[in-house]
Amino acid sequence: MIPAGGEKSSIIRMFHVHLNYGPKKALIDITLDIAKNQFVFISGPSGAGKTTLLKLFYYGEPVSEGQVLIDGINLNRIPRKRIPYLRRKFGIIFQDYKLIPSKTVYENVALVLEAAGKKPRLIQKKVKSVLRLVDMEDRLKSFPPSLSGGEQQRIAVARAIVGDPKIILADEPTGSLDDDSADTVLELLRGVHIRGATVIIATHDKTLIRKTGGHVLYLKQGRLETSTFIEKKYDNTIF
Amino acid sequence: MIPAGGEKSSIIRMFHVHLNYGPKKALIDITLDIAKNQFVFISGPSGAGKTTLLKLFYYGEPVSEGQVLIDGINLNRIPRKRIPYLRRKFGIIFQDYKLIPSKTVYENVALVLEAAGKKPRLIQKKVKSVLRLVDMEDRLKSFPPSLSGGEQQRIAVARAIVGDPKIILADEPTGSLDDDSADTVLELLRGVHIRGATVIIATHDKTLIRKTGGHVLYLKQGRLETSTFIEKKYDNTIF
Amino acid sequence: MITLYFKRAIDDIFKNRFLNLVTVITISLSILIASSFILFFVNAGAVINSWKKGLRIMAYLEPTISKTGLEELKHAILSIDGVQRLQYIPKQEALRRLKAQMKHQASLFENLTDNPLPDSFEIRMTAIADSWQKIESVAARIESLPWVDEVEYGQRWFARFAYITTLFRLASYAMGILFFMAIVFIVANTIRLVIYSRREEVEIMRLVGATDNFIKIPFYIEGLIQGALGAILGLGVLFSSFVFITSNMDQGVLPDLFHLQFLSTAIVTGIIISSMLVGWLGCYISLKQFLNA
Amino acid sequence: MITLYFKRAIDDIFKNRFLNLVTVITISLSILIASSFILFFVNAGAVINSWKKGLRIMAYLEPTISKTGLEELKHAILSIDGVQRLQYIPKQEALRRLKAQMKHQASLFENLTDNPLPDSFEIRMTAIADSWQKIESVAARIESLPWVDEVEYGQRWFARFAYITTLFRLASYAMGILFFMAIVFIVANTIRLVIYSRREEVEIMRLVGATDNFIKIPFYIEGLIQGALGAILGLGVLFSSFVFITSNMDQGVLPDLFHLQFLSTAIVTGIIISSMLVGWLGCYISLKQFLNA
Ligand SMILES: Nc1ncnc2c1ncn2[C@@H]1O[C@H](COP(=O)(O)OP(=O)(O)OP(=O)(O)O)[C@@H](O)[C@H]1O
Ligand SMILES: Nc1ncnc2c1ncn2[C@@H]1O[C@H](COP(=O)(O)OP(=O)(O)OP(=O)(O)O)[C@@H](O)[C@H]1O
Ligand SMILES: [Mg+2]
Ligand SMILES: [Mg+2]
C-alpha cells in the first residue's frame, strides 16, 4: 500500500482529493492507491473522515477537488446512468446498516441480486446460504426493526457479501457484535478476501486490526496521517 | 447485586419477568435487584436480550409476565399519564442513538430539559456545558445526519446525562467510539455515578467491563445466566 | 408557556419546510375547491332569486266589486303568509299591457269598442315561498276569497321552474356535504401522512419523557397555522380568478342583468375558521392514533 | 421481467398498507369530488337543453304568399345553419292557440268575425345554436327572406336565458379546469408525501446498485393501481349516493320532467383512465425529484 503508487493492479486510486461539507473540511488532500485483493484498514478517531472516505469510493458523494479512479473509471467523469453499475462492484456494510425497515431480512439481502438482474432461483439459493453464514437463517421473515443491533449488523454483512463483489467496504462491521459474532464476520471477510476480493475496513477498533493484520491507513482530522502494515497478532486476552 | 434480594435501597427490581415478541421468547424468567447507586453491566452475546431488558425498565415495552418495580413504582399498574414522569428518572443512551434528524444537536439535547419544564436560561447553560463534556460544543447547530457515527453517539450520551437522571441506561455507549472518546464517555458515566446515579450499561465489550469493573449480569438467549462482580483491571495493551 | 409552544411550532414549520409546504398547498387547493363551489352556488342562488321575482299570481276580480270591497280584499290577500306585495291593475291597464305584449296580433284589437277584460291584482311572493306546493296553497286561498273570480299562476312553467330549483338546491346540498366531508378527509389524510413521516420524532420525544401535551400542542398550533395559511392562499387564488374572469366576461355578455358577487366577509371568515379547525382536527386525529399506538 | 416488477409492486402495496390506504382514499375522495361535479353539470346541461327546446323563432308571413312561395321559403329557412326544424302554422291554428292561451281574456274574441292573424312558421334551433348572437343572426337572415313580414323571438326572456346559460357554461368550464388542476395537485402531493416518507428506502436501493428503472417501475405500477382503485372506489360511492338520492327524491318532486342520468360509460372510463394517469404522474414527478436530489 504505497500512496500514489503506480502499480498496474491497483483498483482504487485517489489523487489529492479534498472533500468539503460547506465550510467543514472533511477530507484534505488524500492521495492513495489500493491494489487489487488488498486487505486494508482505515483507522482513526471519531470524526476523522473514515466513513466519508468510503463514500467517495462508491460515489456516495462527489469530491470537491481531486481525482478518484475506481477499477479504471474516473468518477469525475462517470455518467449518471453508470453509477448503479459502479456500485455493483462494491459490497458495502454501512455504519448505520441501512436496511429497509419495510422489507424482510430475506428481501433486504435479495434486493442486491434482484437489482443486478439475477435469476430468482439463484437468488433464493444464494440469499439463504449467505444468511446461514451469518447465523441468521432462522430470521428470514423478520423485519429489521424487530432485530437486535448485532442481528441487524449481521444482515448488513450478509447483504454486502451476497453479490460476490470485487470490493468490500466495511464501516465498523463489528461495532455491535460480541467477540464470537465478530470473529465469524471477520472470518467471512477473510474468506471473501481469499476468493479474490479487495477488502477495506473502516474501524477504530485496534483489537480488530491486530486480529487480522493488514495495511492500515490512519486518518486524523481529514488528513491521511500514516500508512503502515500491521502484522497479525494472536491476542488471547480472555474475559 | 443479589437477584431477588430485598435490600431497602434497591431502585430496580424484577420478579420472574418474561417477555415474548409473538412466539419469540426474548426474556425468560428474569429476577433481579439493582441497588441505588450501583454500577451494573449487562453483558451477553448478540440477540441475548440486553436491549430488551433495558426497555422493560423505562416501560418501552410492557412485560408479558412478572413484575417490574422502578423506584418503588410497579410498572404493571402505572397509569398512562405517569409514564413521562417515570421516564424522566432515566437518562438513556440508545443503541441506535435515536436522535431527531430534523432538530439540531443543541435542540436534541435541550429537548429533555424542555420536556421536563426547565427554565430557558438554565437549559442553555446546561446544554452547552454537557456538549463541552463530550467534546461537541462546536457542533451545536449541526443536524444529526451530518454527524459521524461516533459524533452521534456522543450527542446521545450528552442527552442522557443532561437532565441529571437518577438512573443511566447506556446501551453500547461506546460501540462507535475510538478508545480516547470511549474513555471520555466512560469517565462521564463514572462521574455521574459518583454524584449518586445508578448506572446500567449494556455491552458485549469485555474490555469496557474490565476497564471500570462492576456488577455484571450475563444474559444468554433471554436467560440471566450469571451475576458476578468484576474487579477493575488496568489493561494497557496499546495499539 | 404558550409562547414557548408557539416558538416551537414556528420553529418546527421552518425545520420541516417540505412537509409544511405540501400541507399548506393541499389545504389551499381544498379550500379553493370548496370556496369556488360556494361561490358558484351563492351566485346561482342570486340568479334563481332574481328569476323568482318574475313569479306572480294573477287574481281576476268580479266586475261587481266595490271600492271598500277592494280595500278589504287587498288586506286579506296581504295577510296571507308568503305574499310579499300586490299591485292593483285596472282593466284599462290590462288592455294596454296586452296590446304591448301582442304587437304582432295587434289587428285583433282594431275594432274593439268596449274593454272586455276584468280588473285584477298582481301578487308577488316572498323569496322563500317558492315551492310548488306553497304557491298552489296560496293561490287556492286567494281564490276562496270573496270577489275573486279566478286566479292564474302560469302553472306549467312554474312547475318546471320549481322542480329545477328544488333539484338544484338538493344537488347543491348533497354536493356541499360531500365536498365538505371529502375535503376534511383529504386534509386530515395529508396531515396524517405528515405526522406519519414524523412518527420517529414523536416516538423519541416520548422516550425522553415528554408528556403528550408537550408533543401535541406545537402540532396543534402548526395545524391551525397551516389551516389559516391554506385558507388565505386558496381564497386569494379564488379571488384573483374571480376578478380575472368577471372583468373579462362582463364585456361579452349582458352586464346589467346580474351582478356577480364574491363571497361575503362572513363566509370568508367562516371558511378560514373552518380550515383552521380542519387543520387542527387532522393533527388531533393523527396524533391520537400515533400516540396510542 | 414485467411480471417481476408487478410482483414487487403488489408486494410493496401490502408492505406499505398504511401509506397505500391513505393514497387510495385521497384519490377516491378527489375522484368523488370531480365526478360528482361532472355529474352535476351533465344533468344541469340536460336540464338546460330541455329548456332550450322551448326556444323558437316565429316568422310571420305576408298574406300574399303563394303555395310555391311557401315551399321555397321553407327550404330557404331550413338551409340556414343552426335551424333544426320548422312548422307551418296557418292563421286558423294561430287563433286557436291564442284563444287557448288567453282563456282569461276570452271576452276579447267574442265578437270577432274575421281572423286578423297572419300565417307563420315556428322555427326551432339546434341545441348547439343557443347563443344570443347566433339566434339574432339567424333571425336577421330569416327576416331578410322574401315573404317574411316580421320575425319574433321573445328577446327579453331569451336574452336573460342566454346570459345565464353562458354564465353557467363559463362557470362550469372555469370550475372544471380549476377542480381538475386542484385534484391533480392534491393527488400528486399525497403521493409525494408517501414517497418522501419512503425516501430512505429509495436511497438504500440506489446505494446497493439498483438502476433508476428498477426503483421507479414498481412505484409507477403502484401509482397506476392506486389511481384505478381510487377511481373505482370514488365512482362507486358516487353511484351509491346517486341511486340513494334519486330513489328518495323522485317521489317528492315531479318525476316525469327530466330523468336524472348517471355518468355515461365513456365518461366513467375516462375518469378511471385519468385517475390512473394522475397516479402515475404523481409518482413520476416525485421520483424525479427524489432521485435527482
Ligand atoms: N453531510 C455532512 N455534512 C456536514 N458535515 C459532515 C457530513 N458528513 C460528515 N460530516 C463531518 O465530517 C467529519 C467526518 O465524518 P465521518 O463520518 O467520515 O467520520 P468517521 O471517521 O466515520 O467517524 P466515526 O468513527 O465517528 O464514524 C465529521 O466531523 C462529520 O461531522
Ligand atoms: N420488536 C421485536 N419483535 C420481535 N423480536 C424482537 C423484537 N425486538 C427484539 N427482538 C428479538 O429479541 C431478541 C433480543 O433482542 P435484543 O435487542 O434485546 O438483543 P441484544 O442483547 O440487545 O443484542 P445486541 O447485542 O445485538 O444488541 C433478539 O433475538 C431480537 O431479534
Ligand atoms: Mg464513520
Ligand atoms: Mg442491543
Side-chain angles (χ1 to χ4, degrees), chain A residues 106-107 114 120, chain D residues 1-14 218 221-222:
Chain A
Y106 177 88
E107 290 164 340
E114 279 171 6
Chain D
M1 202 58 191
I2 192 73
T3 55
L4 191 74
Y5 281 126
F6 247 99
K7 233 190 98 266
R8 279 178 57 212
I10 302 283
D11 201 57
D12 241 29
I13 290 179
F14 281 97
I221 296 175
E222 277 179 67

Side-chain angles (χ1 to χ4, degrees), chain A residues 58 80 84-85 87-88 94 98-100 102-103 107 111-112 114-115 143 159, chain D residues 8 11-12 15-16 200-201 204-212 214 291-292:
Chain A
Y58 60 86
R80 231 188 92 73
Y85 302 97
R87 288 184 182 160
R88 288 182 200 164
F94 296 94
K98 293 208 193 295
L99 301 175
I100 299 174
S102 63
K103 291 196 191 292
E107 290 164 340
L111 183 66
V112 178
E114 279 171 6
F143 290 90
R159 185 180 60 184
Chain D
R8 279 178 57 212
D11 201 57
D12 241 29
K15 285 273 160 56
N16 298 282
E200 196 196 340
E201 177 180 342
I204 292 173
M205 290 208 260
R206 297 179 77 192
L207 287 178
V208 301
T211 57
D212 283 0
F214 182 85
L291 283 176
N292 290 342

Side-chain angles (χ1 to χ4, degrees), chain A residues 139 146-151, chain B residues 21 24 26 45-52 95:
Chain A
R139 301 301 291 271
S146 77
L147 297 179
S148 82
E151 287 164 350
Chain B
Y21 286 117
K24 164 109 196 162
S46 174
K50 304 182 288 297
T51 302
T52 307
Q95 192 170 9

Side-chain angles (χ1 to χ4, degrees), chain C residues 140-181:
Chain C
R141 286 192 58 188
I142 294 174
E143 192 153 24
S144 70
L145 293 172
W147 291 302
V148 173
D149 186 24
E150 205 176 355
V151 296
E152 190 204 41
Y153 51 100
Q155 281 96 333
R156 230 171 59 90
W157 177 77
F158 183 74
R160 176 173 284 196
F161 182 76
Y163 177 65
I164 284 166
T165 54
T166 309
L167 219 62
F168 186 79
R169 188 142 13 80
L170 269 180
S172 65
Y173 287 164
M175 282 172 79
I177 293 169
L178 191 147
F179 276 30
F180 183 75
M181 279 173 23

Side-chain angles (χ1 to χ4, degrees), chain D residues 133-193:
Chain D
Q133 287 86 346
K134 186 75 191 169
I135 295 259
E136 249 180 349
S137 82
V138 169
R141 285 191 59 188
I142 292 173
E143 193 155 22
S144 70
L145 292 172
W147 290 303
V148 173
D149 186 24
E150 203 174 359
V151 296
E152 186 204 46
Y153 51 101
Q155 282 96 329
R156 227 172 62 91
W157 177 76
F158 184 74
R160 175 172 286 197
F161 182 77
Y163 177 63
I164 285 167
T165 54
T166 308
L167 218 61
F168 186 80
R169 187 141 15 79
L170 271 180
S172 66
Y173 288 162
M175 283 173 80
I177 293 169
L178 190 148
F179 277 30
F180 183 75
M181 277 172 26
I183 277 164
V184 168
F185 272 102
I186 286 176
V187 171
N189 251 355
T190 303
I191 291 175
R192 184 193 300 236
L193 276 183

Side-chain angles (χ1 to χ4, degrees), chain A residues 40-163:
Chain A
V40 182
F41 287 99
I42 298 171
S43 185
S46 173
K50 302 182 289 297
T51 303
T52 307
L53 185 59
L54 295 188
K55 267 192 194 159
L56 296 185
F57 296 161
Y58 60 86
Y59 204 75
E61 200 80 59
V63 299
S64 303
E65 213 178 290
Q67 307 278 331
V68 182
L69 272 95
I70 304 295
D71 208 7
I73 307 162
N74 186 335
L75 297 197
N76 285 3
R77 271 184 251 133
I78 194 170
R80 231 188 92 73
K81 288 247 160 209
R82 299 296 308 167
I83 294 174
Y85 302 97
L86 168 76
R87 288 184 182 160
R88 288 182 200 164
K89 294 183 196 292
F90 294 96
I92 313 173
I93 303 166
F94 296 94
Q95 192 169 9
D96 52 357
Y97 319 142
K98 293 208 193 295
L99 301 175
I100 299 174
S102 63
K103 291 196 191 292
T104 64
V105 161
Y106 177 88
E107 290 164 340
N108 263 286
V109 178
L111 183 66
V112 178
L113 300 177
E114 279 171 6
K118 294 282 188 290
K119 295 247 165 57
R121 266 272 205 62
L122 176 84
I123 293 176
Q124 200 170 355
K125 233 179 66 186
K126 276 232 112 186
V127 172
K128 287 201 171 148
S129 84
V130 86
L131 283 174
R132 198 169 312 122
L133 288 178
V134 296
D135 205 23
M136 290 295 291
E137 75 272 31
D138 51 340
R139 301 301 291 271
L140 287 184
K141 291 191 174 136
S142 299
F143 290 90
S146 77
L147 297 179
S148 82
E151 287 164 350
Q152 292 184 37
Q153 189 156 47
R154 283 180 277 158
I155 304 305
V157 172
R159 185 180 60 184
I161 63 175
V162 74

